[in-house]
Amino acid sequence: MMPTTEIPQIATEKLTPEFLRAWSWHRQGLDGALVGKSAASVLDRVGWARSVGGANTYLTLFARAGIGRESADRLAATQEIHELPTARGCTYVLPAADFAWGLQLGGASAEASVKVLLRLGVEREEIERLAESVMEVLLRAKAAGEPPMDPRELKDVLGDQVRNMGEEGKKKGATTTLPAALGLLQADGRIRRVPVNGRLDQQRYSYVAWELPATGETDDVVRSRMVERFLGWTGGATTGQIRWFTAFTVSQTKVALASIGAVEVKTAGEDVLWMMPEDVSVMAAFEVPANEDVQLLAGSDSLMLLRRNSCDAFDAVGRDAVTGMGGSALAADLSDHPIVDRGRIIGLWQYDPENERIAWWTFEPASEKVLKRIAEVQAWIGEDLGDFRSFSLDSPKSRLKNIAALDMLRSK
């Protein structure tokens, strides 16, 4: 897509860190613009929600549109949204319109599992035969109206067709040949996995036969769409940030940027952002909101995760406050969840399920708006989720140290 109108010029000195933080906040729909919108609309506008067995997807939808867990789970059950392996082979929750091409992007991850088995001496034909047997079992189950089948149930039915790879396979992360077969079928849109209890904040799955039509598009076309969507979600990103999210090569990234007519915009910090021409026009008219606007987000929220630039969300006060903290507060991946005001991280939080509270700390005294939002999110977690896990292995015990640190810092 090439620009058809003159692109406005933006003074470089306007594009300060403060401005860019607020601009990202706006592009991410955290300014109230998405209240009342559907989950699919939210994910279409702000980007796919990272899912690693944690509660990020739920908070992504709640913070932006007020959508509760039961509603999100219901939409997942009806396939209006769905968790799929996509960019970089990582799992995200996508809207239905993106299922096919998003899955096409993640196809290489399924092949990676197959390659591990090949190195262990398994013939590809054996994996493909197993995949077809899995497909036959799941089609019979679906035709009979039976529920989805988990890997243990499939293994029991398939018997010796599933090969145990022994200690060597265990070391390589391939205990049996079944996961690779399931991965191939999922990458082709022939099966899908569903959470065993219907919730998106866990990683126990069953499988059901599926019939997702392929895009019929080349990988080049899909890569171009990915970059265009990514620039729309972020409002602009560097080449390095694009490549981190997509895992595209330098050449693939250049081809995609040229094909969509992206333009370069230099910031006050001398970073060069790639942007869609229409977004440059919107940015030129954008002003940083004057009033405080606070949200509690997950550490893996797309505001930071898409570009993996959480360190840019700290101002000088925040950097000074977290310097020397245990963990990795200034690392690319946050060690705690952020409290954010117009794109700027002003504090950190964790959920303490034993005491049904949010443990929090702000770098400066908390305002009434901050206290109000903490109370709202605390009530929502307690009533809707029961706990707030960062990822599947996160547990109340594993975060005790972080909770204690936040309590100590707040008491000073």
Side-chain angles (χ1 to χ4, degrees):
M1 182 178 69
M2 299 299 292
T4 57
T5 59
E6 185 176 347
I7 302 169
Q9 296 297 309
I10 304 177
T12 298
E13 56 269 22
K14 178 181 179 178
L15 304 185
T16 63
E18 178 191 17
F19 178 92
L20 292 171
R21 285 192 288 263
W23 168 247
S24 296
W25 180 261
H26 166 69
R27 294 298 300 186
Q28 279 291 302
L30 288 160
D31 54 4
L34 297 178
V35 172
K37 297 292 186 180
S38 69
S41 296
V42 172
L43 298 176
D44 177 71
R45 160 72 183 271
V46 311
W48 306 331
R50 184 76 169 99
S51 55
V52 283
N56 172 56
T57 299
Y58 291 131
L59 187 51
T60 292
L61 299 175
F62 178 74
R64 290 164 173 84
I67 295 171
R69 180 188 61 80
E70 288 188 3
S71 177
D73 289 345
R74 185 167 55 252
L75 294 170
T78 57
Q79 300 173 58
E80 293 175 62
I81 60 175
H82 196 34
E83 181 190 63
L84 293 169
T86 178
R88 306 187 318 283
C90 295
T91 54
Y92 291 82
V93 176
L94 285 61
D98 296 346
F99 288 173
W101 71 269
L103 197 58
Q104 184 172 334
L105 277 174
S109 63
E111 287 297 327
S113 297
V114 171
K115 289 177 182 177
V116 171
L117 291 177
L118 296 180
R119 289 194 291 270
L120 290 168
V122 180
E123 296 291 334
R124 187 180 184 92
E125 290 76 10
E126 178 182 342
I127 304 169
E128 291 177 346
R129 284 196 304 272
L130 176 59
E132 291 306 315
S133 294
V134 169
M135 197 70 243
E136 291 172 7
V137 170
L138 292 179
L139 283 171
R140 285 199 302 269
K142 186 176 183 180
E146 297 173 358
M149 301 179 68
D150 65 28
R152 182 180 296 277
E153 292 169 326
L154 285 168
K155 189 176 179 182
D156 287 344
V157 173
L158 294 164
D160 292 342
Q161 293 182 72
V162 178
R163 197 202 304 190
N164 190 309
M165 300 308 299
E167 285 301 315
E168 187 62 25
K170 190 175 181 180
K171 292 177 184 177
K172 302 288 186 181
T175 306
T176 75
T177 53
L178 182 58
L182 292 170
L184 288 177
L185 292 170
Q186 184 174 227
D188 286 342
R190 299 174 67 192
I191 68 171
R192 62 186 182 91
R193 65 184 195 184
V194 295
V196 295
N197 64 356
R199 290 185 56 151
L200 298 169
D201 55 354
Q202 57 86 61
Q203 283 190 312
R204 292 184 57 236
Y205 302 101
S206 295
Y207 293 84
V208 64
W210 203 22
E211 296 178 2
L212 181 68
T215 64
E217 297 174 326
T218 66
D219 289 343
D220 281 342
V221 169
V222 170
R223 281 192 289 265
S224 293
R225 182 180 299 124
M226 179 74 267
V227 173
E228 183 172 7
R229 295 294 299 282
F230 182 77
L231 295 183
W233 296 337
T234 59
T238 66
T239 300
Q241 290 165 349
I242 296 168
R243 292 196 59 221
W244 176 82
F245 182 81
T246 62
F248 296 165
T249 66
V250 172
S251 176
Q252 289 168 342
T253 303
K254 287 181 177 179
V255 169
L257 288 167
S259 71
I260 62 176
V263 296
E264 294 178 287
V265 175
K266 189 175 181 180
T267 71
E270 298 189 354
D271 281 338
V272 176
L273 301 180
W274 286 100
M275 296 183 64
M276 298 307 298
E278 58 269 29
D279 290 337
V280 179
S281 300
V282 178
M283 178 190 267
F286 179 75
E287 298 293 338
V288 177
N291 297 324
E292 189 178 24
D293 190 6
V294 179
Q295 291 283 1
L296 274 67
L297 302 175
S300 53
D301 187 89
S302 55
L303 178 67
M304 268 77 67
L305 183 75
L306 287 176
R307 293 182 294 178
R308 210 166 180 232
N309 66 335
S310 58
C311 58
D312 294 339
F314 291 91
D315 64 6
V317 172
R319 284 178 175 273
D320 288 345
V322 300
T323 297
M325 275 185 69
S328 53
L330 285 174
D333 300 312
L334 291 168
S335 54
D336 293 292
H337 306 300
I339 303 171
V340 192
D341 173 19
R342 289 164 291 176
R344 175 172 61 98
I345 296 178
I346 62 171
L348 302 169
W349 69 277
Q350 289 279 357
Y351 190 71
D352 174 8
E354 181 178 352
N355 297 294
E356 298 182 344
R357 69 179 182 111
I358 284 177
W360 60 273
W361 167 57
T362 52
F363 311 142
E364 297 182 302
S367 68
E368 288 299 318
K369 284 189 176 180
V370 171
L371 295 174
K372 181 175 182 290
R373 190 55 182 167
I374 289 173
E376 291 170 344
V377 175
Q378 179 174 279
W380 170 70
I381 293 174
E383 296 167 5
D384 221 14
L385 304 183
D387 191 12
F388 194 92
R389 297 193 302 171
S390 301
F391 49 90
S392 61
L393 297 181
D394 184 18
S395 68
K397 183 178 179 180
S398 69
R399 72 182 88 111
L400 282 176
K401 183 178 178 181
N402 288 44
I403 289 171
L406 293 175
D407 286 341
M408 181 192 69
L409 288 164
R410 184 180 162 199
S411 68
K412 285 185 177 181

